[in-house]
Amino acid sequence: MTTAKDIMHSGAQWIPAHETLDRAAQMMRDHNVGSLPIADENERLCGIITDRDIVVGCVAEGHDPSRITCGEMAKGTPRWVESDADVDVVLEEMQSHQIRRLPVIEDKRLVGMISEADLAQHLSDEQIKAFVSSVYAGS
């Protein structure tokens, strides 16, 4: 059985909810990623911030990214999977919620992220086709 831990990118970094969007952008640049999980004061997942969130939700609206926190931008209920979840569970979670990045949690702590690139490296052509059809159908 292939699990989330088998296909995830390890070494994912949190950004605290109190950090500003300009700091999130710097972390994304430094880690060469397009999103960061947001942690609350107890280091629990409370959202995900993406580069698109910063550009569209802040900069394009005329707001200053040094004055808006990641927590303020977090919307909805964050989705995640346990590290021992089967890859079919990962696909179902990502497809049913039309998400492109999924945090992986172990013992209530972030251990990695699964992105489209991770899926492409580990799934069959049929699984990738189904994922793309589902996630990008409404885009």
Side-chain angles (χ1 to χ4, degrees), residues 7 13 36 38 60 90 98 107 127 132 134 139:
I7 65 172
Q13 299 291 310
L36 292 168
I38 303 169
V90 171
Q98 293 189 323
D107 298 323
Q127 287 173 308
V132 169
S134 175
S139 296

Side-chain angles (χ1 to χ4, degrees), residues 7-59:
I7 65 172
M8 73 180 191
H9 177 83
S10 60
Q13 299 291 310
W14 294 105
I15 187 157
H18 64 79
E19 286 286 356
T20 57
L21 297 182
D22 61 337
R23 179 65 188 126
Q26 293 162 359
M27 282 184 69
M28 288 180 201
R29 177 201 60 210
D30 294 346
H31 294 287
N32 195 30
V33 296
S35 67
L36 292 168
I38 303 169
D40 66 13
E41 62 278 354
N42 298 315
E43 292 189 2
R44 298 280 179 105
L45 180 68
C46 64
I48 295 179
I49 189 78
T50 67
D51 48 7
R52 187 174 196 283
D53 293 334
I54 296 169
V55 171
V56 175
C58 177
V59 177

Side-chain angles (χ1 to χ4, degrees), residues 118-139:
D118 299 316
L119 295 178
Q121 291 176 359
H122 294 92
L123 301 180
S124 70
D125 289 344
E126 284 301 313
Q127 287 173 308
I128 294 169
K129 181 180 175 184
F131 172 77
V132 169
S133 295
S134 175
V135 172
Y136 288 97
S139 296

